[in-house]
Short mmCIF file of all heavy atoms in Angstrom, two decimals:
data_model
loop_
_atom_site.label_atom_id
_atom_site.label_comp_id
_atom_site.label_asym_id
_atom_site.label_seq_id
_atom_site.Cartn_x
_atom_site.Cartn_y
_atom_site.Cartn_z
N VAL A 1 -19.68 5.53 -4.47
CA VAL A 1 -20.69 6.58 -4.25
C VAL A 1 -21.58 6.13 -3.10
O VAL A 1 -22.15 5.03 -3.13
CB VAL A 1 -21.54 6.83 -5.50
CG1 VAL A 1 -22.65 7.86 -5.20
CG2 VAL A 1 -20.66 7.30 -6.65
N ILE A 2 -21.72 6.94 -2.09
CA ILE A 2 -22.53 6.64 -0.92
C ILE A 2 -23.76 7.54 -0.94
O ILE A 2 -23.65 8.76 -1.08
CB ILE A 2 -21.73 6.86 0.38
CG1 ILE A 2 -20.49 5.94 0.38
CG2 ILE A 2 -22.60 6.59 1.61
CD1 ILE A 2 -19.58 6.19 1.56
N ARG A 3 -24.95 6.91 -0.81
CA ARG A 3 -26.20 7.66 -0.79
C ARG A 3 -26.88 7.49 0.56
O ARG A 3 -26.88 6.40 1.13
CB ARG A 3 -27.15 7.18 -1.89
CG ARG A 3 -26.67 7.53 -3.30
CD ARG A 3 -27.71 7.13 -4.33
NE ARG A 3 -27.28 7.52 -5.66
CZ ARG A 3 -28.02 7.34 -6.76
NH1 ARG A 3 -29.22 6.76 -6.65
NH2 ARG A 3 -27.56 7.72 -7.94
N ALA A 4 -27.48 8.58 1.03
CA ALA A 4 -28.24 8.56 2.29
C ALA A 4 -29.65 9.06 2.00
O ALA A 4 -29.84 10.11 1.38
CB ALA A 4 -27.57 9.41 3.33
N LEU A 5 -30.66 8.31 2.41
CA LEU A 5 -32.06 8.67 2.19
C LEU A 5 -32.74 8.95 3.52
O LEU A 5 -32.57 8.21 4.49
CB LEU A 5 -32.80 7.51 1.49
CG LEU A 5 -32.26 7.09 0.12
CD1 LEU A 5 -33.03 5.88 -0.38
CD2 LEU A 5 -32.35 8.23 -0.88
N THR A 6 -33.53 10.02 3.57
CA THR A 6 -34.36 10.31 4.73
C THR A 6 -35.59 11.07 4.25
O THR A 6 -35.49 12.20 3.74
CB THR A 6 -33.61 11.11 5.81
OG1 THR A 6 -34.53 11.42 6.87
CG2 THR A 6 -32.99 12.37 5.29
N GLY A 7 -36.71 10.45 4.31
CA GLY A 7 -37.92 11.07 3.78
C GLY A 7 -37.79 11.27 2.28
O GLY A 7 -37.50 10.36 1.51
N ASN A 8 -38.03 12.53 1.85
CA ASN A 8 -37.89 12.86 0.44
C ASN A 8 -36.51 13.41 0.10
O ASN A 8 -36.27 13.86 -1.02
CB ASN A 8 -38.95 13.89 0.03
CG ASN A 8 -40.36 13.31 0.12
OD1 ASN A 8 -40.55 12.14 -0.17
ND2 ASN A 8 -41.33 14.14 0.51
N LEU A 9 -35.60 13.38 1.08
CA LEU A 9 -34.28 13.95 0.85
C LEU A 9 -33.27 12.85 0.54
O LEU A 9 -33.28 11.78 1.13
CB LEU A 9 -33.83 14.72 2.10
CG LEU A 9 -34.72 15.89 2.53
CD1 LEU A 9 -34.21 16.49 3.83
CD2 LEU A 9 -34.79 16.94 1.42
N VAL A 10 -32.45 13.14 -0.42
CA VAL A 10 -31.39 12.21 -0.84
C VAL A 10 -30.05 12.95 -0.80
O VAL A 10 -29.93 14.06 -1.35
CB VAL A 10 -31.62 11.65 -2.25
CG1 VAL A 10 -30.48 10.71 -2.64
CG2 VAL A 10 -32.95 10.92 -2.33
N GLY A 11 -29.10 12.34 -0.14
CA GLY A 11 -27.75 12.92 -0.11
C GLY A 11 -26.74 11.93 -0.67
O GLY A 11 -26.87 10.72 -0.46
N THR A 12 -25.78 12.42 -1.39
CA THR A 12 -24.75 11.53 -1.95
C THR A 12 -23.36 12.07 -1.63
O THR A 12 -23.17 13.27 -1.45
CB THR A 12 -24.90 11.39 -3.48
OG1 THR A 12 -24.71 12.68 -4.07
CG2 THR A 12 -26.26 10.83 -3.87
N ALA A 13 -22.46 11.14 -1.55
CA ALA A 13 -21.05 11.51 -1.35
C ALA A 13 -20.18 10.54 -2.15
O ALA A 13 -20.50 9.34 -2.25
CB ALA A 13 -20.68 11.45 0.12
N THR A 14 -19.16 11.05 -2.72
CA THR A 14 -18.24 10.22 -3.51
C THR A 14 -16.94 10.03 -2.73
O THR A 14 -16.33 11.01 -2.28
CB THR A 14 -17.92 10.87 -4.86
OG1 THR A 14 -19.15 11.03 -5.58
CG2 THR A 14 -16.97 10.00 -5.67
N VAL A 15 -16.58 8.76 -2.53
CA VAL A 15 -15.36 8.44 -1.81
C VAL A 15 -14.37 7.80 -2.79
O VAL A 15 -14.69 6.82 -3.45
CB VAL A 15 -15.62 7.46 -0.65
CG1 VAL A 15 -14.31 7.10 0.05
CG2 VAL A 15 -16.61 8.08 0.34
N THR A 16 -13.21 8.37 -2.89
CA THR A 16 -12.16 7.83 -3.76
C THR A 16 -11.09 7.17 -2.91
O THR A 16 -10.51 7.82 -2.02
CB THR A 16 -11.52 8.95 -4.62
OG1 THR A 16 -12.55 9.57 -5.41
CG2 THR A 16 -10.45 8.37 -5.52
N VAL A 17 -10.88 5.89 -3.12
CA VAL A 17 -9.85 5.15 -2.37
C VAL A 17 -8.62 5.02 -3.25
O VAL A 17 -8.68 4.43 -4.34
CB VAL A 17 -10.36 3.75 -1.96
CG1 VAL A 17 -9.28 3.01 -1.18
CG2 VAL A 17 -11.64 3.88 -1.14
N LEU A 18 -7.55 5.60 -2.80
CA LEU A 18 -6.32 5.57 -3.56
C LEU A 18 -5.52 4.31 -3.24
O LEU A 18 -5.36 3.96 -2.08
CB LEU A 18 -5.46 6.80 -3.24
CG LEU A 18 -6.08 8.15 -3.59
CD1 LEU A 18 -5.17 9.27 -3.12
CD2 LEU A 18 -6.35 8.26 -5.09
N GLY A 19 -5.07 3.60 -4.25
CA GLY A 19 -4.22 2.43 -4.05
C GLY A 19 -2.81 2.87 -3.65
O GLY A 19 -2.47 4.06 -3.70
N ARG A 20 -2.02 1.87 -3.23
CA ARG A 20 -0.65 2.19 -2.83
C ARG A 20 0.12 2.67 -4.05
O ARG A 20 -0.05 2.14 -5.15
CB ARG A 20 0.03 0.96 -2.23
CG ARG A 20 1.43 1.25 -1.71
CD ARG A 20 1.84 0.29 -0.64
NE ARG A 20 2.93 0.83 0.14
CZ ARG A 20 3.36 0.31 1.27
NH1 ARG A 20 2.77 -0.75 1.77
NH2 ARG A 20 4.36 0.84 1.94
N PRO A 21 0.98 3.66 -3.87
CA PRO A 21 1.79 4.13 -5.00
C PRO A 21 2.59 2.98 -5.60
O PRO A 21 2.85 1.96 -4.95
CB PRO A 21 2.72 5.18 -4.36
CG PRO A 21 2.00 5.61 -3.13
CD PRO A 21 1.26 4.40 -2.64
N ALA A 22 2.99 3.14 -6.82
CA ALA A 22 3.71 2.09 -7.54
C ALA A 22 5.07 1.82 -6.89
O ALA A 22 5.76 2.73 -6.43
CB ALA A 22 3.90 2.49 -8.99
N LEU A 23 5.42 0.52 -6.85
CA LEU A 23 6.74 0.13 -6.38
C LEU A 23 7.76 0.45 -7.46
O LEU A 23 7.60 0.03 -8.61
CB LEU A 23 6.76 -1.38 -6.08
CG LEU A 23 8.08 -1.99 -5.62
CD1 LEU A 23 8.47 -1.46 -4.24
CD2 LEU A 23 7.97 -3.52 -5.59
N ILE A 24 8.78 1.19 -7.11
CA ILE A 24 9.74 1.61 -8.14
C ILE A 24 11.15 1.06 -7.92
O ILE A 24 11.97 1.06 -8.83
CB ILE A 24 9.80 3.15 -8.24
CG1 ILE A 24 10.24 3.77 -6.91
CG2 ILE A 24 8.46 3.72 -8.69
CD1 ILE A 24 10.46 5.27 -6.99
N GLU A 25 11.44 0.58 -6.70
CA GLU A 25 12.81 0.14 -6.45
C GLU A 25 12.84 -0.84 -5.28
O GLU A 25 12.06 -0.72 -4.33
CB GLU A 25 13.70 1.35 -6.13
CG GLU A 25 15.15 1.00 -5.88
CD GLU A 25 15.97 2.23 -5.50
OE1 GLU A 25 15.43 3.09 -4.75
OE2 GLU A 25 17.12 2.35 -5.96
N ILE A 26 13.73 -1.83 -5.37
CA ILE A 26 13.98 -2.76 -4.27
C ILE A 26 15.46 -2.76 -3.97
O ILE A 26 16.29 -2.86 -4.87
CB ILE A 26 13.53 -4.19 -4.63
CG1 ILE A 26 12.01 -4.26 -4.77
CG2 ILE A 26 13.99 -5.18 -3.55
CD1 ILE A 26 11.50 -5.61 -5.24
N SER A 27 15.78 -2.61 -2.70
CA SER A 27 17.18 -2.71 -2.29
C SER A 27 17.33 -3.89 -1.34
O SER A 27 16.48 -4.13 -0.49
CB SER A 27 17.66 -1.42 -1.61
OG SER A 27 16.92 -1.17 -0.43
N VAL A 28 18.41 -4.67 -1.52
CA VAL A 28 18.69 -5.82 -0.68
C VAL A 28 19.76 -5.43 0.33
O VAL A 28 20.82 -4.92 -0.02
CB VAL A 28 19.17 -7.02 -1.53
CG1 VAL A 28 19.59 -8.18 -0.64
CG2 VAL A 28 18.06 -7.47 -2.48
N GLN A 29 19.47 -5.65 1.61
CA GLN A 29 20.34 -5.22 2.70
C GLN A 29 20.61 -6.37 3.66
O GLN A 29 19.71 -7.21 3.86
CB GLN A 29 19.69 -4.05 3.45
CG GLN A 29 19.33 -2.87 2.58
CD GLN A 29 18.46 -1.87 3.32
OE1 GLN A 29 18.12 -2.04 4.49
NE2 GLN A 29 18.08 -0.80 2.64
N PRO A 30 21.80 -6.45 4.29
CA PRO A 30 22.97 -5.64 3.99
C PRO A 30 23.67 -6.14 2.73
O PRO A 30 23.54 -7.30 2.36
CB PRO A 30 23.86 -5.86 5.22
CG PRO A 30 23.49 -7.24 5.69
CD PRO A 30 22.03 -7.40 5.40
N SER A 31 24.42 -5.28 2.10
CA SER A 31 25.16 -5.64 0.90
C SER A 31 26.29 -4.64 0.69
O SER A 31 26.06 -3.43 0.81
CB SER A 31 24.25 -5.63 -0.32
OG SER A 31 24.98 -5.92 -1.48
N PRO A 32 27.50 -5.14 0.40
CA PRO A 32 27.89 -6.56 0.39
C PRO A 32 28.00 -7.11 1.80
O PRO A 32 28.16 -6.36 2.76
CB PRO A 32 29.25 -6.53 -0.31
CG PRO A 32 29.81 -5.19 0.04
CD PRO A 32 28.63 -4.25 0.06
N VAL A 33 27.88 -8.42 1.92
CA VAL A 33 27.97 -9.07 3.22
C VAL A 33 28.80 -10.34 3.08
O VAL A 33 28.78 -10.98 2.03
CB VAL A 33 26.56 -9.38 3.77
CG1 VAL A 33 25.84 -10.41 2.90
CG2 VAL A 33 26.61 -9.85 5.20
N THR A 34 29.54 -10.68 4.13
CA THR A 34 30.39 -11.87 4.12
C THR A 34 29.85 -12.90 5.09
O THR A 34 29.43 -12.57 6.20
CB THR A 34 31.84 -11.50 4.50
OG1 THR A 34 32.35 -10.55 3.56
CG2 THR A 34 32.74 -12.73 4.49
N VAL A 35 29.86 -14.16 4.65
CA VAL A 35 29.40 -15.26 5.50
C VAL A 35 30.34 -16.44 5.30
O VAL A 35 30.90 -16.63 4.21
CB VAL A 35 27.94 -15.65 5.13
CG1 VAL A 35 27.84 -16.17 3.71
CG2 VAL A 35 27.39 -16.68 6.10
N ASN A 36 30.54 -17.22 6.35
CA ASN A 36 31.37 -18.42 6.25
C ASN A 36 30.59 -19.54 5.58
O ASN A 36 29.37 -19.61 5.69
CB ASN A 36 31.82 -18.88 7.63
CG ASN A 36 32.83 -17.95 8.27
OD1 ASN A 36 33.60 -17.30 7.58
ND2 ASN A 36 32.81 -17.87 9.58
N ALA A 37 31.30 -20.42 4.90
CA ALA A 37 30.66 -21.61 4.33
C ALA A 37 30.03 -22.42 5.46
O ALA A 37 30.63 -22.61 6.51
CB ALA A 37 31.69 -22.44 3.58
N GLY A 38 28.80 -22.85 5.23
CA GLY A 38 28.09 -23.61 6.24
C GLY A 38 27.30 -22.75 7.22
O GLY A 38 26.54 -23.27 8.03
N LYS A 39 27.48 -21.44 7.15
CA LYS A 39 26.76 -20.52 8.04
C LYS A 39 25.70 -19.76 7.25
O LYS A 39 25.72 -19.71 6.02
CB LYS A 39 27.72 -19.55 8.72
CG LYS A 39 28.80 -20.23 9.54
CD LYS A 39 28.22 -21.02 10.69
CE LYS A 39 29.31 -21.64 11.54
NZ LYS A 39 28.77 -22.43 12.67
N SER A 40 24.75 -19.15 7.97
CA SER A 40 23.65 -18.44 7.32
C SER A 40 23.53 -17.01 7.82
O SER A 40 23.96 -16.70 8.94
CB SER A 40 22.32 -19.17 7.56
OG SER A 40 22.36 -20.48 7.04
N ILE A 41 22.93 -16.18 6.99
CA ILE A 41 22.67 -14.79 7.36
C ILE A 41 21.37 -14.36 6.68
O ILE A 41 21.08 -14.77 5.55
CB ILE A 41 23.84 -13.86 6.94
CG1 ILE A 41 23.63 -12.46 7.50
CG2 ILE A 41 24.02 -13.84 5.43
CD1 ILE A 41 24.83 -11.55 7.33
#
């Protein structure tokens, strides 16, 4: 809640900050993937 005062006047405003939506899924990419032994990806 934000309030502003000037003289005898008072003003208020309500600010709602929304959080990030819920994480619902994780995908691992690329898949399937092939790699040689001793090598990295």
Side-chain angles (χ1 to χ4, degrees):
V1 176
I2 300 174
R3 291 185 177 182
L5 300 176
T6 176
N8 295 324
L9 300 176
V10 179
T12 63
T14 300
V15 178
T16 301
V17 180
L18 298 176
R20 184 155 199 169
L23 178 67
I24 60 174
E25 181 183 39
I26 293 175
S27 62
V28 175
Q29 304 170 0
S31 177
V33 65
T34 300
V35 63
N36 290 330
K39 301 298 183 180
S40 300
I41 188 171

